[in-house]
Amino acid sequence: MTISPQRSLAPIFAGILVLGALHAPPVAAAGRTPAAPAVADFTELSGTRAGTCAAPVEPALAPMGTPALRHCAWSQRLEMLYWQDVPANPNTCLPAAAIAWHRLGAGVGAVLRPWSAAWSGQSLLVQTGGMVQAGMVWRQEGGQWSVVLWRWRPSDRIPTRHWQAGHWKNIAGAVRAIDAANPEPSRTPLMTAWLDATNGKPRLLAADSWRWVSDGACLDLRSASLGQAQMHLPHSRDDARLEQRSAMQLLLARRFPGAEWLRNFSLIEPAISGDRTGAKFLAVWREGATVSGQLWIPLRDEGGIVRARISSELPAATGAALQEAARARAVLLERELGKLAHAWEARHE
């Protein structure tokens, strides 16, 4: 049987193609468009094919980094940004989710409640300046933290706005669904004051402490249950005496024999000079590479004492550099304790 040259070469070319496919290098992941999760499925939630965005990314969102996906539609009135993997920040004690949550709030112009260590995700819904924004930070099945933000500027035309609102309801519902498993923690009077004093800063509510970042330093606050001090501390500022403070400082020195006292036990001035607020006291000391400060708030009518201690680890240093860092951190802790005391005055006195 006669076989044509073209027919005889066909199996050879087919084999070459198969071998080439088996040994071809994989396409670089960087060149792929990431698969969007349901909450970032633009076409499904918006009811419109995804288009490009004419304007650059809002400058306030720059700290979030470059989004993996960015789509616009509805005549540029709808925008979606999706950050697939939020990296950890090596210069802070807060987890990646807490930093992303803070940056997202700053990007949309909202002060958010602290991130909770118990959350697997949390959403926000804000409306400012004619813009409605819905965002979410959550942990995906692979363990990475992701962020999505939808931004909508309603149309001026009523029929169009009603149509947009119907789709926005689906978007907001998808974003807010994450909140169902996040009960709000109960707030104590001290927590309420702390929330006021740390407003606008990166924050975290952990199981046994409250953390935040101030002036680049990580601060950790732990509260003690109501109780009596080792000696009587008056609620009235008029009853506060120098000899009482000297005696309390002596007790503290005995309790922490290796401490370097950077601020002895002192009476805090009220936020407004001359205000007849309750007495509040603080002390700041260093032990090794840890600077600590404590606040005492005596309650009225022998109601006990609220105590809060802030601790902060110093950067690695020795000698004069360590001493200088300790003094600067002591000033910071004293200022933060003062803010907490003044927030207590505003809330509870």
Side-chain angles (χ1 to χ4, degrees):
M1 182 175 62
T2 304
I3 302 176
S4 66
Q6 291 85 355
R7 192 171 181 181
S8 62
L9 291 175
I12 298 175
F13 287 140
I16 292 173
L17 291 174
V18 170
L19 289 173
L22 290 175
H23 295 282
V27 178
R32 297 173 184 168
T33 300
V39 74
D41 189 333
F42 191 89
T43 302
E44 177 66 24
L45 293 177
S46 71
T48 309
R49 182 178 298 177
T52 58
C53 300
V57 175
E58 181 73 30
L61 294 169
M64 294 291 300
T66 303
L69 292 176
R70 183 178 181 233
H71 299 312
C72 288
W74 300 357
S75 300
Q76 301 293 314
R77 289 182 173 272
L78 180 69
E79 178 186 14
M80 187 209 74
L81 304 101
Y82 169 55
W83 293 268
Q84 186 178 25
D85 191 358
V86 178
N89 190 329
N91 298 321
T92 177
C93 64
L94 302 187
I99 296 297
W101 180 243
H102 169 75
R103 288 176 176 171
L104 183 61
V108 302
V111 176
L112 306 177
R113 55 183 170 170
W115 183 263
S116 171
W119 289 348
S120 59
Q122 185 63 37
S123 76
L124 62 86
L125 184 61
V126 298
Q127 183 172 357
T128 55
M131 176 82 74
V132 187
Q133 302 182 80
M136 187 173 89
V137 177
W138 82 104
R139 182 170 51 227
Q140 300 211 50
E141 292 182 359
Q144 80 273 22
W145 290 96
S146 300
V147 180
V148 67
L149 176 63
W150 292 83
R151 312 175 80 225
W152 169 43
R153 190 177 299 279
S155 173
D156 298 329
R157 298 181 66 252
I158 294 178
T160 303
R161 185 165 65 246
H162 286 169
W163 178 87
Q164 292 174 347
H167 289 284
W168 181 260
K169 182 179 179 181
N170 297 332
I171 294 170
V175 169
R176 296 300 294 271
I178 195 70
D179 297 347
N182 291 333
E184 178 73 10
S186 58
R187 293 188 179 185
T188 64
L190 182 62
M191 179 185 286
T192 304
W194 175 75
L195 291 172
D196 291 345
T198 58
N199 227 353
K201 296 177 180 177
R203 302 179 291 185
L204 174 72
L205 284 175
D208 58 348
S209 68
W210 311 332
R211 294 184 214 156
W212 73 106
V213 176
S214 182
D215 288 354
C218 189
L219 309 178
D220 184 295
L221 185 149
R222 296 171 190 263
S223 62
S225 58
L226 281 176
Q228 299 295 332
Q230 292 174 290
M231 65 172 293
H232 173 72
L233 293 176
H235 168 76
S236 172
R237 295 180 60 85
D238 296 336
D239 296 334
R241 299 286 184 268
L242 179 59
E243 57 270 20
Q244 293 172 332
R245 299 196 288 278
S246 298
M248 189 66 180
Q249 178 60 43
L250 181 59
L251 289 173
L252 289 171
R254 290 173 177 172
R255 183 177 180 183
F256 303 103
E260 174 189 356
W261 294 93
L262 304 172
R263 177 65 184 267
N264 285 343
F265 187 81
S266 307
L267 181 66
I268 301 175
E269 290 298 317
I272 300 176
S273 181
D275 270 9
R276 298 187 62 79
T277 61
K280 300 167 193 67
F281 305 89
L282 65 78
V284 182
W285 65 96
R286 178 175 75 91
E287 291 181 289
T290 302
V291 178
S292 301
Q294 183 157 319
L295 174 67
W296 289 261
I297 306 176
L299 301 181
R300 192 185 301 275
D301 301 326
E302 303 297 329
I305 295 178
V306 174
R307 289 167 290 178
R309 182 177 300 175
I310 301 175
S311 298
S312 183
E313 296 298 317
L314 295 171
T318 57
L322 180 61
Q323 290 289 342
E324 183 61 29
R327 284 192 292 268
R329 193 62 52 87
V331 171
L332 174 63
L333 261 62
E334 185 173 342
R335 185 172 74 238
E336 294 294 315
L337 288 168
K339 289 180 180 178
L340 184 58
H342 297 156
W344 178 280
E345 291 173 1
R347 279 283 183 172
H348 308 301
E349 296 180 3

